[in-house]
Amino acid sequence: MDNIRNFCIIAHIDHGKSTLADRLLERTKTIQITEGQMLDDMDLERERGITIKSHAIEMDYVAKDGKKYILNLIDTPGHVDFSYEVSRSIAACEGALLVVDATQGVQAQTISNLYMALEHDLEIIPVVNKIDMPQAMPDEVEDEIVELLGCERDEIIRASGKTGEGVDEILEAVVNRIQPPKGDPKAPLQALIFDSIFNSFRGVIVLCKVINGEIKKGDKVKFFNTGEEYVADEVGMLRMDMIPCPKLSCGEVGYIVSGIKTATEVKVGDTITHVSEPCKEAIEGFQEVKPMVFAGVYPIDPTEYENLRSSLEKLQLNDASLTFQPESSVALGFGFRCGFLGLLHMEIVQERLDREFNVDVITTVPNVSYMVYDKQGNVTEVHNPSGLPDQTLIDHIEEPYIRATIITTTNYIGPIMKLCLDKRGELINQEYVSGNRVEIHFLLPLGEIVIDFYDKLKSISKGYASFDYHLDSYRPSRLAKLDILLNGEPVDALSTLTHQDNAVTLGRRMCEKLKDLIPRQQFDIAIQAAIGSKIIARETVKQVRKDVLAKCYGGDVSRKRKLLEKQKKGKKRMKQIGNVQVPQKAFLAVLKLD
């Protein structure tokens, strides 16, 4: 155990941690690097240049003192929407490399991930990356790190993921500064599940870290929380591929295959123990994930419903922060109400459903969960505007507020303040981090930042502002349910909860957008936005008319009148039985209302 080191890499998005991981793998001769970002093996990750999944890999390293070490590296995502992946990686490690970009300095997600690592008492090794760049400012960035961590300047390693400079110093620091895992090899088996993968041939493969005891091939094991029992058909190490081995010892990270067929039996954060000699208590896992954004996901073809359910279950194994429950809608049929950590997370899940499982889905307008208090004092949590009780029964509604941390340069303070105040934000405080960099703390309603806040923030700060948030509390708010009616019939998939001050402008914009997108019918279609029984906006899609007077050339006006009256009756009858379908394009366009 003295020769094992478990560590992860934490950093803000785009600070070069995946490239640095490549250099570490290359230096320890673990794999031949054939292209950049070897650990980002999903097409989506390669295309967007972001890490979505945390990846574990084992390396052998011979230190300068001649000793052989086994290093378990877990590369983690840097985007705020995937912070749950980071929390799981941190739980399986004893140390962390804190990577900071020498051209950009400390950013919001760096601080957030650092605090998470410090709560778990990890040894932090600060690394300034990208020092080969012409615009690098290593001295200023080192000042920021010293202020943040309170460490000595000579503890900070200067490195470059591109040229490989500083990689040897990082590996030596990992071996010398990070403690080996603590645990008792003789104690009953305790292994923490930190991830799982679905394989269509072998069932669910569980990735775990052995904290106490050891697990051999063929052992009978059980999952502590679910109580299910299995036989470990295969155990092994995580290299670039999975390498089987006879046993996993105390402190090691590896995988277990035990032919689990149903995805719901594996809970990330659960403890694995032996059936014959179980441990007394489960390991303290990591906090339960709280979805921030909710949206309905419906199959375009209603017969695909079961297929969508199994796809979501398999996806949940790989991404434990996704939650879903069945729901139905008048307009869209049967589907699921899914909880996501943010909008990027929602977009990625939609893309993965399409690419990995070939399921085409419609996603409704994203919203957040509200606490609704009725006049008897009962509280219900509502994720969907159609689940709201009648307006007359509601006493008040509370909406979630988040505490947002924005780090930016002084040039952009004005526009960023205006953006936050327009979103009903409250300034808590602002402090200067170093030089011309400012850290601003805001209280913001989560419902306001769900749709396009992050994009706007990036565009007004030319990409320099970094953003991180966590849930603060629920507060009473003047909210109204905005319904969209087509010919007097409400379309439940388009209804939203919004602040009363924004309701009229939002209603008007939605009506105008739908008018352009709903195809013309043989009768007039009235598109209305309503709050309760009050109509606040209306647009009309004009009917397509056949020219019934074409055959009248002259003649008495009563003949023309008769033909027009006949047409009018037909249109009226058609309107009574005709129903209006909202095209998929219209749903997507309403989501992207700027």
Side-chain angles (χ1 to χ4, degrees), residues 406 416 419 453-461 465-467:
I406 298 169
I416 288 173
L419 174 70
F453 180 82
Y454 194 67
D455 298 347
K456 281 186 175 169
L457 180 71
K458 281 288 177 200
S459 58
I460 61 175
S461 66
S466 60
F467 173 66

Side-chain angles (χ1 to χ4, degrees), residues 291-311:
M292 297 278 194
V293 177
F294 295 89
V297 173
Y298 294 87
I300 289 180
D301 177 3
T303 56
E304 289 280 292
Y305 176 73
E306 279 306 320
N307 192 2
L308 176 61
R309 179 200 292 275
S310 65
S311 304

Side-chain angles (χ1 to χ4, degrees), residues 97-316:
L97 295 182
L98 180 76
V99 178
V100 181
D101 188 334
T103 62
Q104 299 191 35
V106 172
Q107 292 192 291
Q109 197 58 35
T110 317
I111 295 175
S112 155
N113 290 342
L114 171 69
Y115 288 155
M116 218 187 291
L118 290 173
E119 276 170 28
H120 282 79
D121 293 335
L122 298 197
E123 177 64 42
I124 307 291
I125 300 176
V127 177
V128 176
N129 194 18
K130 301 192 189 180
I131 57 162
D132 58 311
M133 301 276 278
Q135 64 271 41
M137 332 167 276
D139 295 333
E140 290 91 327
V141 174
E142 280 186 4
D143 291 341
E144 288 181 26
I145 295 174
V146 169
E147 203 170 305
L148 182 67
L149 275 175
C151 61
E152 298 298 321
R153 275 190 91 95
D154 55 6
E155 287 176 30
I156 301 170
I157 300 171
R158 293 189 179 190
S160 162
K162 199 172 181 182
T163 61
E165 190 182 331
V167 171
D168 291 333
E169 287 91 333
I170 291 174
L171 288 166
E172 282 298 313
V174 166
V175 168
N176 298 325
R177 294 195 216 168
I178 294 175
Q179 296 296 314
K182 299 179 180 67
D184 182 357
K186 302 282 185 289
L189 170 70
Q190 268 187 319
L192 175 73
I193 301 177
F194 67 87
D195 207 349
S196 51
I197 310 163
F198 184 82
N199 182 311
S200 45
F201 301 108
R202 313 180 74 181
V204 179
I205 300 170
V206 174
L207 308 189
C208 62
K209 178 193 178 188
V210 182
I211 307 243
N212 291 317
E214 61 179 29
I215 180 168
K216 296 189 193 69
K217 184 179 174 176
D219 281 357
K220 285 197 79 173
V221 293
K222 75 168 182 178
F223 290 2
F224 204 89
N225 290 342
T226 56
E228 299 282 347
E229 299 185 0
Y230 305 100
V231 174
D233 299 330
E234 181 181 308
V235 296
M237 310 281 188
L238 296 159
R239 295 280 162 138
M240 206 57 203
D241 295 317
M242 296 181 176
I243 312 289
C245 65
K247 65 172 186 177
L248 284 178
S249 311
C250 188
E252 291 188 328
V253 174
Y255 71 92
I256 299 171
V257 178
S258 50
I260 304 167
K261 293 289 179 286
T262 40
T264 47
E265 288 175 28
V266 179
K267 293 272 185 291
V268 170
D270 202 347
T271 304
I272 303 175
T273 185
H274 280 133
V275 173
S276 53
E277 193 189 350
C279 56
K280 299 281 185 292
E281 56 193 36
I283 308 161
E284 282 294 307
F286 12 84
Q287 71 273 35
E288 270 294 297
V289 59
K290 275 212 165 58
M292 297 278 194
V293 177
F294 295 89
V297 173
Y298 294 87
I300 289 180
D301 177 3
T303 56
E304 289 280 292
Y305 176 73
E306 279 306 320
N307 192 2
L308 176 61
R309 179 200 292 275
S310 65
S311 304
L312 282 169
E313 280 176 0
K314 287 170 192 167
L315 198 56
Q316 196 176 30

Side-chain angles (χ1 to χ4, degrees), residues 369-385 387-391 393-399 474 479 497:
S369 59
Y370 296 93
M371 294 295 178
V372 180
Y373 290 78
D374 62 15
K375 295 193 170 153
Q376 279 76 42
N378 303 325
V379 191
T380 43
E381 190 175 351
V382 174
H383 303 311
N384 192 351
L388 266 188
D390 192 67
Q391 204 67 37
L393 306 173
I394 298 175
D395 183 52
H396 68 279
I397 302 176
E398 290 188 353
E399 66 174 332
Y474 280 80
L479 295 167
L497 268 175

